[in-house]
Amino acid sequence: MGELIGQVETTSLTIRVLGPLEVTAAGRVIALGGPKPRLLLAALALQPNVVVSTDVLVEVLWPQAAPRSAAANIRTYVHSLRRRFAEIDPALGERISSGPSGYLLTASPDELDHLAFTALAGEAQEALDDGETESALKLLDKADALWRGEVLEGLQHDHSWGATIARLTELRLSVQEQRLRARIGLGRSGEAIAELRGLVTEHPLREELWAQLIVALRAAGRTGDAIEAYESAERVLREELDAEPGARLRELRATLVPDHVLPPRAADVAPVCQLPLDLPDFTGRGGLIRTVVTLLQERADSGTPAVIVLSGAPGVGKSAVAVRVAHAVRDQFPDGQLHVDLAGTSSSPRAPMSVLAELLRTLGIPDAGLPRELAERSALLRSRLAGRRMCVVLDDAGSEAQVRPLLPGAGVCAVLVTSRIRLPGLAGAKPVDVDLLPEAEAARLLEGIVGAERVAAEPESAAAILRQCGHLPLAIRVAGAKLTHRPGWTLRLLAGRLGDERRRLDELRVGDLAVRASVTLSYDLLPMSAATAFRGLGLLGPVQFPAWVVAAALGRRDADDVLDVLVDGHLVELVGSDSAGQPRYRLHDLLRVYAVELAERSDAAKTRAGLRRMLEGYLGLALEAARRMPLHFFGMYCDDRLPRPAVPEGVLPEDPATWFAAERHTTVAAVSLAAQHGFDDLAWQLASALTPYFDLRGPQDDWHSTHLVALAAARRTGSKRAEAIVQRNLGQYLLYQDEYAEARVAFEESKMLFDAIGDIQGVAVALTGLSTILRIEGEDDLALDHCHEALKLFAEADDPNGEAVARLSAGAVWMSRGCYAAAKRWITDALELTASIGDRHREAHALKRLGLLYQHQGNLAAAREHVDRAIAIFTDLGDDHCVGYANQNLGELCLHSGDFAHAQLLLVNSLAVHRRNGDRRSEAEVSQLLGELHRALSQPERSRDYSERALAIWRELSTRPKEPPAVVEARPHIASA
């Protein structure tokens, strides 16, 4: 089987780690080489589609002491693995890719046996939950068959793999247990007994296996053997752990003797059940329910009380989950189920004294027998609960102090606490977060309320309603109730009304159910500083943000305490860490809408000042990150005459590109946000500060959108310098997109504006961009004039980096004329200049230009040598953008020299870069080269596919050459960026 990448079908891999490491493709086993390459691939396979840092790989390969050449050795091993993959299919070689900080294995879940195993186990669990035992058994058998031995058998395990291997091993045991339980449940006890005998021998301390063996023997009518199995388990546990069998085994043992032998259970009060109705349309939460039920069972088996705190955002369904769990475990707590509303978020939370009185009365204590002191009442409750198996639900707790006196101290009781805030002060309590509903479960909830036929008739509108409700159960219930009581409404009508954020919370209200009222209860509990931060964060829009933003909103150096309050109150959600290692947070969409409502009603000046501080923080960080970039950006990303905002401390990582990548979406949104709120000075500056990163990594759409906003903002400020900077950078983007006419206008506008303010360096930069356009359009004489003028101005401005670019541009013009001697002089001068000033990026461009020149002259060996050197520098600098173009040139050289395998690997990699960057011209050139390659390989169908793709793009660009180009010319950015 294969998979489609772009429009070309590639061979899929199968990577097996559940046993000895093995890789197959197209029915062939790939030889991986010695232990080091195998260890490297194992490390990548355990973390697929995630960059594994070079430091981690060094530790895996050399756990004792790494050689000095460790990084170079890893590159060699990676090259070896890619070459072996490419021998099966050249496209497979790009499955292992490198980045600035490490390496990444790209693979789909079905290509890795450990991911396929995990997925099958999950599907089987869902089938078991749905009562489909036969289907579940087939899935469990399929999952178990993937194992061929121990994980990565035969390889030395790194300590960092421990958690993953332990999880897989434990899940394997769980799958085996479920398989056997399913067989027994289907009446196939005989099949299970033999396998269980082997498993209890291998895992003698796992009580669940002994329990299943006893059940299987009992079901087979072998009571004597079942009693013998129990005695064996009892003996092993006593000898190995000095412990008695757990409650589950003891209960099974009791079933193996006549009923009259069992002692009666004592009870001094009649069982009571105060649980509210278990919602008939309760939807989803299967995994969460299983987790909580399992925790209760484990504590019950150990003979100790269980306290579980279910916390989550307002309206997320904490109480419904608690009630569902309490109903699910009623049989395990036969002495009764208690339920108390603590009203912790109300204006009058219930005091522990009154709650204790209520509980003790339920347990048979008359009013006359209630102690007067809190400590005495709490002690009496603990005494009453100690000898019982009861489940207590404490709903809507406001604090630890409200809950602590209500907890049991001994016995086998369970306590389920629900709270909008986390309660870390409850010693021994197990915290469980109740999150938003996954998309599929949210859809089922809406179907259950509105009706499946109504949802199926308008699936797109139903999906829009769920998005606007943010998958929040309360919001979905309100929306569903509205539709139920308005049968004449279409889903499209409600989706349209919810689409307006300003009235969304007004719409999400029906009867006594209202999202706004629910959120207000949580907001009203916040201290003043947290409330101020919450309102300010809402103004950022639907983005993720780091911790320093909270401090900026408050005008403080540090606000971790405030952020902790918001996170513990589930008003701000921790969503993980970014690529720079910083924690990231977000507001749920409905909470954000509520925060914006509050901000608009607050002090306008203070609100505006807080937003400006947050935007200035992003601008300060972006400017500093741009300054630290390893490449000298040819252009202008800031106005040095303007004051620079303070940079939040301890935020920027060592690699500034990592920060840009982590904050890309937020900073792009911040450009528009600044313009919307009238901060035009911040809008154009922030967009310009992002340009060095855009130029390095090629997110073309973001470059375009931010600079359209920035250009309008710069014009509104009236600053010619601002507009000149933005025009120049916009021209560079248009040049990359082959929009030559528009790029020429932008560069000319930039030149005129720089000239008007007397900025000779800016004029020179604009002239260099214009020279590239003129060269492409065939106006070589004027292009050379611009190069010479730019060179003179760069010299006057004492800008040697600019001089190097101007010389490269002149060399490109001479080369396009076929004057190779003149071209070589200009490019060699540029190479010598870049080497003397330490501009490695421009040095690589010069080397690449010389490679093209040698290719024109037929000296393919010299051409390959120079392009190879250029690629090494680009790779070292982390410039994936330029690596793609250099791979294109080197791939063509390999094609013309007959090295087809290497050519295909390089050209396929290059094509992926061009597609990602939206460079249609280069995509057409590489597609044309791949067509030639497959024609040379006698693969006419693939050759035709690539050639037709190239022709379509050339027609789209209306610049198709009459004959295929003999040599791929360097892309415009080499001369001008």
Side-chain angles (χ1 to χ4, degrees), residues 695 700 736-737 845 848 852 867 871 874 879-891 909-910 913-914 917-923 925-926 968-974:
D695 196 45
Q700 305 291 322
Y736 287 163
Q737 296 300 304
H845 281 305
K848 183 172 175 295
L852 288 169
V867 177
I871 290 175
F874 287 140
D879 188 348
D880 298 334
H881 197 187
C882 288
V883 168
Y885 292 112
N887 278 341
Q888 175 181 347
N889 292 125
L890 185 56
N909 287 341
S910 177
V913 172
H914 297 330
N917 293 338
D919 187 340
R920 306 284 286 159
R921 178 187 176 96
S922 294
E923 182 182 346
E925 292 169 348
V926 176
V968 176
E969 179 56 276
R971 295 301 297 132
H973 78 285
I974 293 181

Side-chain angles (χ1 to χ4, degrees), residues 521-663:
L521 292 174
S522 290
Y523 175 78
D524 288 345
L525 297 174
L526 293 176
M528 184 178 298
S529 58
T532 301
F534 176 71
R535 296 193 301 269
L537 293 171
L539 297 175
L540 286 177
V543 297
Q544 297 180 7
F545 53 85
W548 67 263
V549 172
V550 181
L554 296 173
R556 291 165 44 172
R557 290 189 61 184
D558 180 84
D560 287 347
D561 56 332
V562 175
L563 181 57
D564 287 343
V565 169
L566 293 170
V567 171
D568 287 342
H570 292 280
L571 292 176
V572 167
E573 176 188 1
L574 173 64
V575 292
S577 296
D578 57 33
S579 54
Q582 296 285 333
R584 307 289 292 183
Y585 303 88
R586 69 181 288 270
L587 268 66
H588 182 276
D589 280 348
L590 294 178
L591 295 179
R592 176 180 55 79
V593 170
Y594 179 71
V596 171
E597 281 188 359
L598 295 173
E600 290 176 346
R601 296 199 299 264
S602 302
D603 185 307
K606 290 182 178 179
T607 299
R608 186 173 173 82
L611 177 58
R612 185 173 182 95
R613 284 193 299 268
M614 291 186 284
L615 293 171
E616 284 180 339
Y618 273 114
L619 175 57
L621 286 165
L623 288 170
E624 181 61 18
R627 186 187 68 80
R628 296 187 191 179
M629 290 285 278
L631 313 182
H632 177 82
F633 176 63
F634 181 71
M636 294 183 178
Y637 63 85
C638 66
D639 184 349
D640 290 329
R641 302 179 309 167
L642 296 177
R644 292 200 176 192
V647 179
E649 296 180 2
V651 174
L652 282 178
E654 184 176 343
D655 179 8
T658 303
W659 181 85
F660 276 120
E663 294 288 2

Side-chain angles (χ1 to χ4, degrees), residues 634-635 703 723-736 739-755 762-774 776 786 972-973 975-977:
F634 181 71
W703 190 339
E723 186 179 350
I725 291 172
V726 175
Q727 285 280 26
R728 183 271 155 196
N729 294 338
L730 187 57
Q732 189 67 40
Y733 158 79
L734 293 167
L735 179 58
Y736 287 163
E739 301 288 349
Y740 302 131
E742 294 181 35
R744 183 169 185 169
V745 170
F747 283 133
E748 287 174 344
E749 286 287 328
S750 176
K751 173 185 174 298
M752 180 186 68
L753 290 164
F754 277 128
D755 202 18
V763 172
V765 170
L767 282 170
T768 308
L770 278 170
S771 73
T772 302
I773 300 291
L774 293 168
I776 293 172
H786 281 26
H973 78 285
S976 59

Side-chain angles (χ1 to χ4, degrees), residues 211-487:
Q212 288 196 36
L213 177 58
I214 293 169
V215 169
L217 290 167
R218 183 185 63 185
R222 298 164 57 181
T223 305
D225 289 341
I227 294 174
E228 182 181 338
Y230 174 85
E231 292 172 349
S232 298
E234 185 179 40
R235 182 173 59 258
V236 169
L237 293 170
R238 185 181 299 115
E239 291 174 356
E240 297 293 332
L241 302 178
D242 193 23
E244 294 299 318
R248 167 89 165 126
L249 282 177
R250 294 199 305 272
E251 291 171 0
L252 283 173
R253 176 63 180 86
T255 66
L256 302 177
V257 296
D259 291 341
H260 69 270
V261 178
L262 299 177
R265 183 176 64 84
D268 52 9
V269 295
V272 60
C273 181
Q274 299 178 333
L275 297 177
L277 173 70
D278 185 11
L279 294 176
D281 58 359
F282 186 95
T283 303
R285 307 289 196 193
L288 176 64
I289 301 295
R290 287 193 298 274
T291 297
V292 177
V293 169
T294 300
L295 288 170
L296 296 179
Q297 290 173 338
E298 290 174 351
R299 287 295 183 92
D301 290 345
S302 67
T304 57
V307 180
I308 294 177
V309 178
L310 298 164
S311 66
V316 81
K318 303 174 292 295
S319 299
V321 169
V323 170
R324 168 57 61 102
V325 170
H327 277 286
V329 298
R330 283 181 60 185
D331 291 344
Q332 298 177 45
F333 299 95
D335 293 330
Q337 300 83 38
L338 307 177
H339 183 279
V340 182
D341 183 359
L342 299 181
T345 56
S346 72
S347 57
S348 302
R350 295 190 62 184
M353 278 290 283
S354 69
V355 177
L356 283 166
E358 178 182 331
L359 292 171
L360 289 169
R361 289 191 198 101
T362 304
L363 294 174
I365 305 297
D367 287 346
L370 293 176
R372 293 187 177 183
E373 299 296 328
L374 176 64
E376 292 177 352
R377 286 190 183 183
S378 182
L380 181 56
L381 178 66
R382 292 195 295 273
S383 176
R384 283 303 216 180
L385 293 177
R388 296 175 173 81
R389 297 176 69 99
M390 300 190 78
C391 179
V392 182
V393 177
L394 302 175
D395 196 26
D396 192 19
S399 67
E400 292 97 336
Q402 190 183 26
V403 173
R404 198 173 287 114
L406 312 179
L407 301 180
V412 191
C413 285
V415 180
L416 295 168
V417 183
T418 72
S419 178
R420 295 191 177 198
I421 62 174
R422 293 181 171 88
L423 303 175
L426 285 182
K430 175 69 175 179
V432 176
D433 284 349
V434 182
D435 295 323
L436 301 169
L437 287 174
E439 184 176 353
E441 294 182 3
R444 288 204 299 273
L445 176 58
L446 184 62
E447 287 178 1
I449 300 170
V450 176
E453 292 183 3
R454 202 168 171 188
V455 170
E458 298 182 77
E460 294 181 359
S461 296
I465 291 172
L466 294 176
R467 284 196 304 272
Q468 290 151 357
C469 290
H471 295 178
L472 187 73
L474 174 60
I476 297 171
R477 286 192 176 279
V478 173
K482 270 201 165 185
L483 290 168
T484 300
H485 289 85
R486 294 165 176 79

Side-chain angles (χ1 to χ4, degrees), residues 634-798:
F634 181 71
M636 294 183 178
Y637 63 85
C638 66
D639 184 349
D640 290 329
R641 302 179 309 167
L642 296 177
R644 292 200 176 192
V647 179
E649 296 180 2
V651 174
L652 282 178
E654 184 176 343
D655 179 8
T658 303
W659 181 85
F660 276 120
E663 294 288 2
R664 172 184 156 193
H665 297 295
T666 303
T667 50
V668 167
V671 173
S672 295
L673 183 66
Q676 289 166 9
H677 286 267
F679 300 126
D680 290 329
D681 58 326
L682 300 182
W684 80 260
Q685 288 186 79
L686 183 54
S688 299
L690 297 174
T691 312
Y693 174 73
F694 292 158
D695 196 45
L696 175 67
R697 293 293 159 83
Q700 305 291 322
D701 291 343
D702 290 342
W703 190 339
H704 190 214
S705 64
T706 55
H707 276 62
L708 290 180
V709 173
L711 182 58
R715 286 171 173 166
R716 287 194 296 268
T717 66
S719 169
K720 291 183 178 180
R721 185 179 301 276
E723 186 179 350
I725 291 172
V726 175
Q727 285 280 26
R728 183 271 155 196
N729 294 338
L730 187 57
Q732 189 67 40
Y733 158 79
L734 293 167
L735 179 58
Y736 287 163
Q737 296 300 304
D738 305 313
E739 301 288 349
Y740 302 131
E742 294 181 35
R744 183 169 185 169
V745 170
F747 283 133
E748 287 174 344
E749 286 287 328
S750 176
K751 173 185 174 298
M752 180 186 68
L753 290 164
F754 277 128
D755 202 18
I757 60 176
D759 187 333
I760 61 173
Q761 185 180 24
V763 172
V765 170
L767 282 170
T768 308
L770 278 170
S771 73
T772 302
I773 300 291
L774 293 168
R775 170 174 60 82
I776 293 172
E777 294 183 341
E779 299 182 47
D780 291 345
D781 291 336
L782 188 54
L784 281 176
D785 290 343
H786 281 26
C787 291
H788 297 156
E789 180 65 17
L791 185 60
K792 184 182 79 170
L793 293 175
F794 280 130
E796 290 181 24
D798 192 23

